[in-house]
Amino acid sequence: MDISVIVPLYNEAESLPELAEWIDRVMVANGFSYEVIFCNDGSTDNSWEVIKSLNKKYPNMHGMAFRTNQGKSPALHVGFGMAQGDVVITMDADLQDSPDEIPELYRMIKEEGYDLVSGWKKKRYDPLSKTLPTKLFNATVRKASGIKNLHDFNCGLKAYRGEVVKHIELYGDMHRYIPWLAKNAGYGRIGEKVVQHQARKYGTTKFGLDRFVNGYLDLITLWFLNRFGQKPMLIFGLWGSLVFFIGLIAVLYIVLHKIYVLYTIGTGTLITDMPSFYIALTCMLLGSQLFLAGFLGELISRKAGERNEYDIAEKI
């Protein structure tokens, strides 16, 4: 199969028939063998009924549905697992991504040898309140990831070699960082294509301003796991040892001070009345916790086997 198109969606019943017809028209015109996987993220409208009807009209259009809203990353993760195409295309369901871009994205993967090609919506039809935070976000991710040639990490329109999507793990809101995840997995040939951005035709956006806060929190998580996930002692051991060492110095000071006072004066204050005692106690406790508890918690979270288990109500 040439292409798998993965479409995550939430309450996009109005746009699905037009999107399906558009994708099919492009595929037939270019002679591609293809499948479309609609990933219904717990929609509360009749999106799933529309997907069922599309499956009857276009047998190569399939779907899966979460019982509840899980998020875009889990939807993409399941879609990646179902995909069978040599090239995998992801696009949003709101008609703001143009299927007419698919042939060129496919060519860039197959002929130019890219592992991943990310769309760049150079001209956007979004309000200033969305475009300005997006520019700041993308600049931050470029700096943190080292992928200097991408301008729009969060663009939903992307193309992948089939094997790439089988070797990256999405959870939480990590779909924003797919190019970085691919790079970390060893797929470093990452390209970019300017794509057409269209104004939303139906409904309203499903993302609020909280996505920018969540995006930066996920960025910190990804940076931390990428830098220290395999060798957590580099961070927890360093800071734990440093804080513990400060506590140890405070203990030595207490002991030497007590000995000095006993030999020179013969009596002195109780150790528990000295501020350095509490500094030593606090630092040694914190140092031990950093050294042991912190990175163990991160490792347990990273290796949790049930992290990507979701309750799928139905598949076509």
Side-chain angles (χ1 to χ4, degrees), residues 85-105:
D86 295 333
V87 174
V88 177
I89 306 286
T90 59
M91 63 171 49
D92 294 335
D94 54 12
L95 297 175
Q96 290 189 283
D97 295 334
S98 172
D100 290 333
E101 306 285 355
I102 291 176
E104 179 61 16
L105 290 170

Side-chain angles (χ1 to χ4, degrees), residues 4 57 60 102 110 132 140 197 199 215 233 247 287:
S4 293
K57 184 177 181 180
N60 51 350
I102 291 176
K110 298 296 285 187
L132 283 180
T140 305
H197 182 228
M233 283 294 288

Side-chain angles (χ1 to χ4, degrees), residues 30-85:
N30 288 273
F32 293 134
S33 59
Y34 78 99
E35 66 176 355
V36 178
I37 303 171
F38 291 106
C39 299
N40 180 26
D41 186 20
S43 295
T44 55
D45 63 358
N46 66 328
S47 292
W48 187 240
E49 285 69 29
V50 172
I51 293 170
K52 287 181 178 179
S53 67
L54 290 174
N55 173 252
K56 294 178 181 178
K57 184 177 181 180
Y58 306 101
N60 51 350
M61 294 191 180
H62 319 299
M64 76 86 191
F66 289 146
R67 290 189 186 278
T68 58
N69 182 250
Q70 300 286 341
K72 187 173 182 178
S73 290
L76 286 172
H77 178 80
V78 175
F80 286 164
M82 296 172 62
Q84 302 179 50

Side-chain angles (χ1 to χ4, degrees), residues 112-174:
E112 297 186 25
Y114 286 108
D115 297 317
L116 183 155
V117 178
S118 183
W120 175 20
K121 296 173 181 176
K122 194 172 184 178
K123 182 179 180 181
R124 301 184 67 100
Y125 293 93
D126 292 322
L128 199 62
S129 60
K130 185 176 180 181
T131 56
L132 283 180
T134 297
K135 287 182 180 294
L136 177 61
F137 172 78
N138 284 314
T140 305
V141 180
R142 276 196 301 273
K143 181 69 174 177
S145 67
I147 306 175
K148 306 297 185 182
N149 63 317
L150 294 192
H151 295 82
D152 191 357
F153 281 79
N154 199 29
C155 179
L157 186 57
K158 290 182 173 66
Y160 315 77
R161 275 199 298 122
E163 68 177 86
V164 174
V165 301
K166 306 299 183 181
H167 290 87
I168 57 177
E169 182 186 16
L170 295 181
Y171 60 95
D173 289 320
M174 288 296 177

